[in-house]
Amino acid sequence: METPANDPTPTPAQRALDALVVNTEDESALDTLASSEVLVPVPDDAMDEEAADPTAVALPVLEEPDGRPVVPVFTSELEMAELLPFVSRYRLVPLGALASQWPSDDLSLTIDGSSSHGLTLTSDGVRTLLARPHG
């Protein structure tokens, strides 16, 4: 049972994720998602200088049960706390900017991984779906 206290009004990014659960090719939802800022957890072992550098983002990499590396990002502090309650620092990063710099290896991206609207994209999916022209 959901209670209003634990279920705040969804952000535009969360509404976009909900739309993509229904239709993975929803261009409007993809545009909204790409232009949204996401919370990128700052790894505990990141130096303070790295965490403060606006031109570089240290990506936290988790390992999926099947061994694949994945970077978790979140649409809200509540979503982040549900999956990674131990994270104390994060950066707000435009998802489209993150996607345009995405490495070409097998690194996947998971948005709100523990939620019902969670979305996981392969490295190709991140670059083709989220690295959109801004304007």
Side-chain angles (χ1 to χ4, degrees):
M1 186 169 116
E2 293 180 7
T3 59
N6 293 338
D7 188 22
T9 302
T11 65
Q14 290 168 337
R15 285 194 295 273
L17 287 170
D18 287 337
L20 290 168
V21 167
V22 176
N23 176 6
T24 58
E25 296 178 13
D26 184 324
E27 288 292 323
S28 176
L30 289 168
D31 285 341
T32 298
L33 201 56
S35 64
S36 297
E37 287 191 328
V38 291
L39 286 62
V40 179
V42 174
D44 287 337
D45 58 357
M47 304 286 200
D48 286 339
E49 309 84 63
E50 289 175 346
D53 182 352
T55 63
V57 176
L59 296 176
V61 179
L62 302 178
E63 193 170 288
E64 291 282 345
D66 63 5
R68 289 179 301 146
V70 64
V71 173
V73 298
F74 303 91
T75 57
S76 71
E77 288 182 357
L78 185 64
E79 292 287 350
M80 186 171 69
E82 289 202 14
L83 188 65
L84 302 174
F86 52 87
V87 170
S88 58
R89 299 184 300 170
Y90 62 85
R91 303 261 313 258
L92 270 175
V93 179
L95 192 54
L98 188 64
S100 68
Q101 303 291 318
W102 201 255
S104 60
D105 58 13
D106 291 332
L107 192 61
S108 296
L109 175 75
T110 293
I111 306 167
D112 289 352
S114 65
S115 75
S116 61
H117 61 237
L119 176 67
T120 298
L121 297 170
T122 63
S123 58
D124 285 341
V126 172
R127 288 191 309 278
T128 57
L129 296 176
L130 298 178
R132 303 168 92 70
H134 295 79

